[in-house]
Structures are given as C-alpha cells and as structure tokens.
Amino acid sequence: MPPRKKQETQPKPEQGEPEAAFLWERLNRPAPAPRSMLTPERIARAAVAIADAEGLDAVTMRRLATDLGVAPMAAYRYVSGKGELLELMVDHVYGEMSPPEGAEDWRQAMRTLSQRTRSVLLQHPWVARAAVFTLTPNQVAVVESALASLDELDLDVDTMMAVCRAVDSYVKGAVDREIGLAELMQEQGWASADETRSALAPRMTWLMNTGRYPTYQRYINEATRKDDVQWQFETGLDAVLDGIAARLGI
C-alpha cells in the first residue's frame, strides 16, 4: 500500500485560552501583546505570493513557514490550517477591489466594480476557484458596494441581489474563459493567439467544412476583434447592464 499523506495538524490551544467559532471573530478581538513580527496581513501576503507564482496547490503551512522564515507552527497562532489560510488569502485579494467612489449612478458603479473585479481575478487566477468556498469581510464589502449602488432605485432587496449576482456571474464567467485559455496555451506551449489558432486549425477546418455552422464561419472570416479581450468584456458587460436597465426601467 502507498504511504498515507501526512496531514497538517493544528496545535491544541493553551489551557484557558478562549476559542472563537471562526477566524474573523478571533481576529476581531483586541490583539495580544506581540510575540513576533508575524501578522495575519503578512501571512496573507506571503501565501498569495506563493499561489500567484506556483498555483494554489503549492500553498501549505510548511511552505508558508519557510517563506516567512518562521517556525512551522508559528502561523497556527492565527489560522487553524489551510482552510482558514485560504480565507485570509481571499480576503487579502478582495481588499484590492476597492469600492468605486463618486459614481454618477448605479450603472457606472457596477461597471467600475466589474472592471476592477476582472483585473484582480486575472492577476490572481486561483481566486475564482478558492472564493467559492469562503465568506470574508472584504468579500462581503464588495457585495455591499454593489447593493448600495442600487439602494435608491426603489427596488426590493431580492431584485437588488438578483441584479448583483447576474452581473457577478457575467464577470466571473468571462474571466474564467480568459484564465482557461491562458492555462491551455501555457500547457501546450502556444505563445500567442495566432499560434493557438494555427494549432487548432485542423479540427476547426474539419468542423467548418461540414457546413453545419455557417454563422460561426462568418465570424471566423469577418471578425476583427478576435484578440481584443478588453473590448469583448466591456461589450458583453454593457449588454448585461442594458438588459437590466430595460427589464427594471432604471
């Protein structure tokens, strides 16, 4: 039988030390007298740097301790294991999505927040997968910002949340496609969009030669913005916002 993978364990709390139900409750308490320079922010920055460079699977408590130059158990003073470490990381990244200020209306606010979200998610490709399983202060702050932009439109709260989720779903779907294509190109060693199209050309040619996809064939022959992902994203986003405005009369 293959050897069992060693589990990263959490040290038991010291006798008399209170335990909170979850990470953010603990971190919200007044900080004790510092025993070292280690902080939740420093832990998050180091872990995010590892994930950005090598992927989420490279982040372990032991690797984190090595990069921070601390004892393997030092980070456990703040997080119970990789699950809570992931929360710190996601919260750190969502903190980069600063809520738009001074927006003229809900549409401008939503558009700005969507563009910032796309930018941050592309910088940290692992976040879209990780954030599905977390609920952190900065994640909630982003949703709060989106909801607040709709709060004076005489909409009920269910509709407000439905609008926020529709826009968020578009943004994350578009970003997921960008990230997926980038990962495929890296795996295959394709250095450019032209090289990618050349590699896929035989199967695309076969598909088009079946005659089943005339409109797609027209796109292939006539499109001039195949590689303009910024334009594609903004055009799709405006279509979503136009649809919301028309549907709700706002």
Side-chain angles (χ1 to χ4, degrees), residues 2-249:
R4 295 180 65 184
K5 185 176 179 181
K6 187 177 180 180
Q7 302 261 339
E8 292 185 334
T9 57
Q10 172 192 5
K12 294 181 179 179
E14 298 176 5
Q15 187 174 6
E17 181 181 345
E19 290 187 77
F22 57 95
L23 172 67
W24 304 105
E25 183 180 343
R26 295 200 307 273
L27 295 184
N28 196 52
R29 293 174 176 167
R35 303 174 201 169
S36 70
M37 294 299 293
L38 198 60
T39 64
E41 178 64 20
R42 188 179 168 209
I43 292 170
R45 282 200 310 269
V48 166
I50 296 171
D52 288 349
E54 303 175 39
L56 196 58
D57 292 339
V59 181
T60 65
M61 298 298 286
R62 187 168 296 277
R63 169 64 187 281
L64 179 63
T66 299
D67 283 22
L68 288 169
V70 298
M73 306 303 284
Y76 283 111
R77 181 174 177 230
Y78 297 97
V79 295
S80 64
K82 189 168 179 179
E84 288 191 347
L85 175 61
L86 192 63
E87 289 192 65
L88 278 184
M89 295 165 64
V90 169
D91 194 65
H92 178 84
V93 169
Y94 267 73
E96 299 175 15
M97 301 178 195
S98 52
E101 297 180 359
E104 294 180 2
D105 55 24
W106 71 272
R107 185 186 180 109
Q108 183 186 17
M110 284 283 193
R111 201 172 194 277
T112 300
L113 186 58
S114 296
Q115 290 170 324
R116 290 180 183 175
T117 300
R118 172 177 176 264
S119 177
V120 169
L121 293 180
L122 289 175
Q123 291 173 47
H124 309 283
W126 52 271
V127 172
R129 173 163 57 106
V132 174
F133 307 104
T134 58
L135 183 63
T136 79
N138 282 328
Q139 279 182 287
V140 176
V142 170
V143 179
E144 169 67 22
S145 175
L147 287 170
S149 71
L150 302 167
D151 199 25
E152 297 182 1
L153 296 178
D154 197 29
L155 302 175
D156 63 81
V157 291
D158 289 314
T159 300
M160 289 165 56
M161 184 61 81
V163 167
C164 291
R165 287 176 175 165
V167 175
D168 185 62
S169 294
Y170 167 76
V171 173
K172 289 178 178 173
V175 170
D176 186 62
R177 185 185 184 283
E178 289 188 63
I179 292 173
L181 178 58
E183 289 176 345
L184 175 64
M185 291 173 65
Q186 184 176 21
E187 290 169 3
Q188 299 296 325
W190 300 332
S192 67
D194 284 337
E195 192 170 331
T196 301
R197 278 190 287 272
S198 294
L200 297 175
R203 70 188 71 180
M204 181 63 79
T205 298
W206 184 90
L207 287 166
M208 293 302 107
N209 284 343
T210 65
R212 300 170 188 165
Y213 316 105
T215 313
Y216 203 137
Q217 181 72 65
R218 182 184 166 210
Y219 168 77
I220 292 173
N221 294 340
E222 300 178 17
T224 60
R225 293 183 180 268
K226 293 176 183 175
D227 301 328
D228 191 346
V229 291
Q230 182 71 32
W231 179 87
Q232 293 169 16
F233 176 81
E234 292 184 357
T235 300
L237 177 61
D238 284 340
V240 172
L241 296 175
D242 287 345
I244 290 170
R247 172 71 175 80
L248 300 179

